[in-house]
Amino acid sequence: MKNRSKAYWNKRANERMATYHKDSDETIRKITSAYDKAIKDINGDINNIFYKYMKDSELSEKEVRQLLNSKIPKKELNDIRAKIHGIQDEELKRYMMAQLNAEAYKARITRLEALKESIYINTKLVADVEIKQSTKLYTDNIKKAYYTNLFDIQKGLGIGFNVAEMPLESIQEILKNNWSGKHYSKRIWHNTDVLAEKLEEVITNGLMTGKSSKKMAIELEELTNYGKFAAERIIRTETTYISNSAEIESYKECGIDKYVFIATLDLRTSKVCREKDKKIFKVKDAEAGVNLPPLHPHCRSTTRAYFKGMESLQRRSRDPQTGKSYLVPGDMNYQDWYDKFVIDKYGKDKTEVFEKMIKNKSYDRKQLNKYKEVLGKESPKTLKDFQELKYNNIKEWSIKQREYSTINSINNKEWSNIYKEKVKSTYYNFRNDNIELSWHGAQRFVDRNIDKKGNTIFTQKDIVDSFNSKPNYIQEDGRLVNFNNGIAIIRNNETNEIVSIVVRKNPKEGWIRND
């Protein structure tokens, strides 16, 4: 057997899978755009059916909400229902008509029922786009995986031979196989049904409680991210399935009777894939979800052809700290790699931190974006900085969490923007003196440090000097009190935050001396 390089087979297996998933990116973008359009159209129908009456009439919110139980004009209803004719997937169209039962799908319905129809129809329009784009992607990837793997096998062996065209029935068999218990089209229908239910609940509650159209739109957009994530999960998982299934067909074409399960040597890899890594299976026994990837949603594992003597080849792995790749012996399975190159090198505790950082990466990225939105320049700049703080500096992370909570609370108060900025500025001024304030503590300083005549009652230095002395009282709730010169500083006994500042002549009844 001619080996073009030591790591050829394992490297090409991983590279092929990476290419198939890269091909998915454009499909995911188109489906995401369909979700965005759906939510835009739903918001348009909400405005047409409900909110425009608040602008065009002098009715109260209560009276406008009563309109939800009034009948909608036939023309407005027909405009909503006309979208059904744009659905191309005939099975999906029949599915929709079955769901819209005869009683609900009558000529005269209430505005609330019309809104529910709008939600259902628009989410199924997304499903139509998702099915069409996904099927095209999967068909293209099946052919690509089949022929690319055949080429790699010939190139790796250094032998050229004629191969048959992939039979159409083989492509159709891969596409229609319910390998995970439910066909991908049915999963798409189910996910959009769930999304429709969630959207309906948010919209109904929002209209009944008088939420503004702007706030409603924001909530619906956030909820739509559920649908986008579910769509991407299906595409990523099905791409792994159809690609590996097509490569199994290429093994059969070449007369290769065994394959090796290849897991990715990094800490993102799931437990089930770690256990299957480097195990050899017969091609005739290949079964997706059992011994052929994917074994779970977002699975990244793949396979390579098995030839006797290939155990000496090398495979690529990734250092969990530096992110750099390096080669290890080809006969080393996941557990051997984990023990020798991770546990022995970094220790168990640090490895557990690495795994948390890697597995929580998606959630942490979203959390970081929220911190950036609230804290601005005070937020960690990069995901690496954020995770380093969160997982490796518990004390500073607790402080940053309180900072986020405090600033977020201030932002959500019904205060003027000028007043909010004044309170936030006070908060950060005290942080420069290594003192934390709750939102209420910062507000109390702003409201109490100057009297009605404009005279200064106390300064930041007065508060800092008092704070840095020993608390001389304890409240009944356990909070500590620094009472000096008629100024009481109330501080949280656990976090040490200043939660309030009070001007008073004498100690409060119930305070206990802290001698």
Side-chain angles (χ1 to χ4, degrees):
M1 180 177 65
K2 178 182 177 181
N3 294 327
R4 301 183 65 86
S5 70
K6 273 190 168 184
Y8 173 80
W9 295 96
N10 291 308
K11 180 182 178 184
R12 282 301 297 148
N14 290 324
E15 285 178 346
R16 287 195 303 272
M17 187 55 65
T19 299
Y20 307 146
H21 280 286
K22 188 174 181 181
D23 292 340
S24 304
D25 293 344
E26 179 61 18
T27 300
I28 291 170
R29 187 193 66 77
K30 289 178 180 178
I31 293 172
T32 297
S33 296
Y35 274 96
D36 291 338
K37 183 181 185 304
I39 216 66
K40 181 180 178 182
D41 289 347
I42 290 172
N43 275 317
D45 287 338
I46 293 172
N47 283 319
N48 290 333
I49 294 172
F50 182 78
Y51 282 113
K52 75 174 186 178
Y53 289 92
M54 296 184 67
K55 298 177 181 177
D56 299 342
S57 69
E58 296 181 354
L59 298 176
S60 66
E61 282 189 14
K62 182 179 179 181
E63 291 171 323
V64 174
R65 284 198 294 279
Q66 289 175 347
L67 284 173
L68 289 174
N69 293 317
S70 67
K71 302 297 182 181
I72 188 173
K74 186 175 181 180
K75 182 181 181 305
E76 290 185 33
L77 181 59
N78 288 340
D79 288 343
I80 294 172
R81 291 177 172 173
K83 298 174 183 177
I84 295 178
H85 302 300
I87 293 177
Q88 298 179 24
D89 188 279
E90 290 300 323
E91 189 177 0
L92 176 59
K93 190 180 291 187
R94 289 195 298 272
Y95 173 79
M96 280 191 65
M97 298 304 293
Q99 295 297 313
L100 293 169
N101 59 69
E103 180 63 26
Y105 204 66
K106 53 192 177 183
R108 295 285 288 167
I109 65 175
T110 66
R111 293 177 179 277
L112 182 57
E113 290 171 330
L115 271 179
K116 292 178 180 179
E117 280 196 14
S118 169
I119 295 166
Y120 186 74
I121 292 170
N122 277 292
T123 53
K124 286 300 169 285
L125 286 170
V126 174
D128 189 45
V129 172
E130 194 171 337
I131 291 171
K132 179 182 177 182
Q133 293 295 332
S134 298
T135 303
K136 181 180 183 303
L137 170 71
Y138 302 154
T139 303
D140 291 345
N141 266 356
I142 288 171
K143 296 176 181 177
K144 185 173 184 177
Y146 178 76
Y147 292 112
T148 300
N149 199 34
L150 283 174
F151 174 78
D152 283 345
I153 290 171
Q154 294 187 46
K155 188 176 179 182
L157 293 174
I159 302 172
F161 49 87
N162 293 326
V163 295
E165 181 178 357
M166 189 175 191
L168 179 61
E169 55 267 26
S170 296
I171 297 175
Q172 292 173 338
E173 183 63 28
I174 292 173
L175 282 174
K176 74 179 184 181
N177 186 17
N178 302 336
W179 67 271
S180 58
K182 187 181 289 186
H183 191 259
Y184 67 85
S185 62
K186 299 299 190 295
R187 291 189 181 280
I188 291 171
W189 298 357
H190 172 73
N191 288 342
T192 50
D193 279 346
V194 172
L195 177 61
E197 290 175 7
K198 291 179 180 290
L199 291 171
E200 182 181 314
E201 182 180 347
V202 168
I203 289 171
T204 303
N205 289 341
L207 294 176
M208 292 302 180
T209 56
K211 285 182 182 175
S212 68
S213 58
K214 184 177 179 180
K215 189 169 184 179
M216 180 85 74
I218 292 172
E219 288 188 10
L220 294 179
E221 185 176 351
E222 290 176 350
L223 188 56
T224 308
N225 289 330
Y226 160 84
K228 293 177 181 178
F229 175 79
E232 181 173 355
R233 180 180 58 208
I234 290 176
I235 289 173
R236 296 296 186 197
T237 308
E238 290 291 335
T239 294
T240 298
Y241 158 68
I242 61 101
S243 302
N244 280 304
S245 296
E247 291 191 351
I248 288 294
E249 294 301 315
S250 71
Y251 298 150
K252 293 177 182 177
E253 175 63 22
C254 294
I256 297 170
D257 60 359
K258 294 180 181 178
Y259 67 91
V260 184
F261 191 104
I262 303 293
T264 304
L265 294 184
D266 65 23
L267 297 184
R268 285 175 57 196
T269 301
S270 67
K271 182 180 179 181
V272 289
C273 288
R274 295 181 186 193
E275 293 172 349
K276 289 285 191 299
D277 184 50
K278 293 295 291 177
K279 289 189 176 179
I280 300 168
F281 300 98
K282 293 180 180 180
V283 169
K284 68 180 181 66
D285 295 331
E287 184 178 352
V290 178
N291 56 19
L292 180 71
L295 300 188
H296 56 83
H298 286 295
C299 185
R300 299 173 298 145
S301 296
T302 185
T303 70
R304 67 161 169 78
Y306 171 77
F307 298 102
K308 192 173 182 180
M310 289 184 69
E311 293 82 359
S312 62
L313 302 181
Q314 293 177 293
R315 61 188 303 199
R316 194 166 297 275
S317 60
R318 189 174 298 278
D319 188 283
Q321 183 170 54
T322 66
K324 294 181 179 180
S325 61
Y326 57 93
L327 296 175
V328 298
D331 60 353
M332 177 175 281
N333 63 27
Y334 189 97
Q335 191 60 49
D336 292 337
W337 169 80
Y338 183 83
D339 291 340
K340 182 175 181 179
F341 289 92
V342 183
I343 294 291
D344 288 354
K345 184 176 181 179
Y346 293 109
K348 186 177 180 180
D349 291 343
K350 197 167 185 179
T351 297
E352 288 179 355
V353 171
F354 285 148
E355 295 202 43
K356 286 181 182 179
M357 292 170 74
I358 291 169
K359 291 179 179 178
N360 296 340
K361 199 170 185 178
S362 178
Y363 173 80
D364 288 343
R365 184 178 287 108
K366 293 177 182 177
Q367 190 177 25
L368 171 60
N369 289 335
K370 290 182 179 179
Y371 271 59
K372 284 183 176 179
E373 184 180 343
V374 171
L375 300 181
K377 65 180 182 180
E378 300 298 330
S379 168
K381 302 297 185 292
T382 66
L383 180 61
K384 182 179 180 181
D385 294 338
F386 183 78
Q387 289 193 315
E388 182 65 27
L389 176 67
K390 182 174 181 179
Y391 297 104
N392 291 319
N393 197 328
I394 296 176
K395 183 178 179 180
E396 290 300 318
W397 171 240
S398 295
I399 293 173
K400 184 59 68 175
Q401 284 181 298
R402 291 197 295 272
E403 178 186 353
Y404 172 83
S405 178
T406 299
I407 299 302
N408 194 44
S409 294
I410 294 171
N411 288 340
N412 289 326
K413 298 299 178 185
E414 294 183 357
W415 300 337
S416 69
N417 289 333
I418 294 176
Y419 187 75
K420 286 179 183 179
E421 291 305 315
K422 192 172 183 179
V423 175
K424 284 192 281 188
S425 177
T426 298
Y427 172 83
Y428 282 112
N429 286 339
F430 273 89
R431 277 178 66 90
N432 290 334
D433 283 323
N434 297 315
I435 293 176
E436 282 191 80
L437 284 75
S438 68
W439 69 264
H440 186 256
Q443 181 195 26
R444 295 288 285 187
F445 180 88
V446 171
D447 289 348
R448 296 288 188 270
N449 72 319
I450 298 177
D451 64 20
K452 294 180 180 180
K453 297 180 180 179
N455 300 316
T456 299
I457 300 175
F458 54 83
T459 65
Q460 179 171 328
K461 185 177 184 305
D462 295 331
I463 301 299
V464 171
D465 289 343
S466 178
F467 180 89
N468 287 331
S469 64
K470 180 184 176 182
N472 47 7
Y473 290 93
I474 301 176
Q475 288 190 161
E476 292 179 348
D477 59 7
R479 288 178 172 177
L480 305 175
V481 182
N482 291 72
F483 182 57
N484 299 292
N485 302 319
I487 309 297
I489 300 171
I490 317 298
R491 52 208 281 188
N492 187 303
N493 57 307
E494 294 181 356
T495 65
N496 219 23
E497 291 175 285
I498 293 178
V499 296
S500 188
I501 300 174
V502 181
V503 179
R504 59 184 310 115
K505 292 181 179 180
N506 301 304
K508 185 178 179 180
E509 185 177 346
W511 285 358
I512 304 170
R513 288 289 305 185
N514 183 35
D515 297 325

